[in-house]
Amino acid sequence: MSDTSAIEPLILGGSPSPFDIPKGCFGLTVTEVQHYTDSLFRFRITRPQEFRFRSGEFVMIGLPNAEKPVFRAYSVASPSWDEELEFYSIKVQHGPLTEHLQKIQPGDTVLMRKKPTGTLVNDALLPGKRVWMFSTGTGLAPFASLIRDPETYEKFETIVLVHGCRTAAELKYGEDLVASLRNNPLIGEMVDGHLFHYTTVTRESFDRQGRVTDLISSGKLFDDLGLARMGPEEDRAMICGSMAMLRDTKELCIEHGLSEGANNKPGEFVVERAFVD
Ligand code: A2P
């Protein structure tokens, strides 16, 4: 396959970059950037026709701002049918990548390695009735992809997107996304009555408070939703958050009788770290 990406315009901050697109990468154009808080933003980039991925997978993202660019793993937040690619990112003040990435604007170039991968995919779960998507912070990203994919609704009758953040402002990306799905003439019908969105905040007062893990342990999560507690017969789970959140949520899934799966051995729950920190 010929690599045509090397001839695409290479622009950053409005001026051409002196660096070539590295081998094995696409050089893609930023189409949209939206900032939510001092520490969160989303961006969209063009999608090469040849790039295929499964909803829930991640790719390596970088910037053409050095001879050897820094790459970080990013879950694709858009579904596999979308014409563009969307990502949801934190901004870290001295983060090797996000310090620069947070400044991108439409027209700029972003690097993306060509091979997607990841375990938070429908194929890694055994069939079931409900799927629980447990996320904290930017761990929401792979689920932003999966809740927009009709395949998820074909596989599961009920999809529960659980999102825990420190503050209510950090819930906005997920709230906007779910509202847009409900209002979407194509997807709205599929989502209606099937997608539950459960948000919780830990560091300020809010309707629902407490860590996702505490809400699972106490049973409050299930009671609030009017759903039975998780069990291996009907429930499947996907987990994405910090290392500590993964460890604790995974333990709770095991306590509820679920066993871990992978791409080559589908199971009752799967786990992936929310990467960029
Ligand atoms: P808390 O405010 O009690 O630390 P972070 O930005 O640190 O990744 O946190 C995002 C959200 O995840 C916060 O609400 C945080 O709660 C929560 N959190 C942090 N560690 C865990 C954990 N081990 N299990 C569940 N939730 C966690």
Side-chain angles (χ1 to χ4, degrees):
M1 201 186 322
S2 68
D3 184 358
T4 52
S5 55
I7 56 169
E8 286 175 24
L10 186 54
I11 302 168
L12 189 67
S15 52
S17 162
F19 302 103
D20 289 338
I21 303 279
K23 220 166 165 281
C25 282
F26 296 112
L28 304 169
T29 307
V30 177
T31 58
E32 197 184 332
V33 183
Q34 184 178 359
H35 294 269
Y36 293 94
T37 66
D38 287 353
S39 61
L40 291 168
F41 72 114
R42 88 178 162 101
F43 60 96
R44 290 176 70 86
I45 58 177
T46 51
R47 175 177 175 176
Q49 273 196 339
E50 72 202 78
F51 178 71
R52 295 270 173 274
F53 71 104
R54 293 179 296 171
S55 296
E57 287 189 313
F58 68 86
V59 287
M60 303 303 292
I61 292 284
L63 285 170
N65 59 354
E67 198 73 59
K68 287 203 169 150
V70 172
F71 283 89
R72 291 287 181 268
Y74 273 86
S75 291
V76 183
S78 47
S80 51
W81 51 260
D82 201 327
E83 279 174 15
E84 292 183 342
L85 298 169
E86 181 171 307
F87 300 92
Y88 182 47
S89 179
I90 51 166
K91 308 175 201 175
V92 182
Q93 212 179 6
H94 300 294
L97 176 62
T98 64
E99 180 185 4
H100 307 289
L101 193 66
Q102 64 181 280
K103 297 180 190 134
I104 54 169
Q105 289 175 12
D108 288 349
T109 297
V110 164
L111 303 176
M112 186 179 88
R113 289 218 179 110
K114 293 187 173 179
K115 213 181 132 22
T117 185
T119 52
L120 298 182
V121 290
N122 281 316
D123 292 348
L125 288 179
L126 292 167
K129 192 168 173 195
R130 279 178 295 274
V131 61
W132 296 86
M133 297 176 172
F134 294 119
S135 64
T136 54
T138 54
L140 181 75
F143 305 135
S145 173
L146 284 158
I147 63 164
R148 290 189 254 188
D149 192 334
E151 194 189 287
T152 310
Y153 298 85
E154 281 158 24
K155 184 155 182 169
F156 301 101
E157 194 180 304
T158 300
I159 292 128
V160 192
L161 174 61
V162 182
H163 189 205
C165 287
R166 295 180 183 197
T167 65
E170 295 169 354
L171 298 171
K172 176 112 171 82
Y173 174 70
E175 287 170 342
D176 287 356
L177 177 64
V178 170
S180 76
L181 279 184
R182 296 203 198 283
N183 295 326
N184 183 306
L186 284 177
I187 300 176
E189 207 171 304
M190 184 173 74
V191 167
D192 193 29
H194 298 280
L195 175 66
F196 292 76
H197 186 206
Y198 188 99
T199 49
T200 181
V201 156
T202 49
R203 301 205 185 179
E204 63 184 23
S205 65
F206 189 66
D207 296 354
R208 286 168 307 278
Q209 280 180 263
R211 286 187 172 193
V212 169
T213 40
D214 293 335
L215 295 162
I216 300 173
S217 307
S218 68
K220 188 174 186 312
L221 171 69
F222 309 105
D223 296 344
D224 284 353
L225 289 162
L227 295 173
R229 283 171 200 223
M230 283 194 297
E233 293 80 24
E234 297 194 327
D235 293 284
R236 304 293 172 253
M238 293 175 152
I239 313 171
C240 191
S242 64
M243 291 306 277
M245 180 274 192
L246 295 190
R247 184 197 57 220
D248 296 349
T249 315
K250 179 175 163 167
E251 210 165 280
L252 286 165
C253 285
I254 294 168
E255 270 176 34
H256 283 75
L258 277 62
S259 50
E260 189 168 359
N263 266 298
N264 55 1
K265 189 180 169 293
E268 287 146 358
F269 77 90
V270 281
V271 170
E272 201 140 77
R273 188 177 159 213
F275 304 94
V276 184
D277 46 22

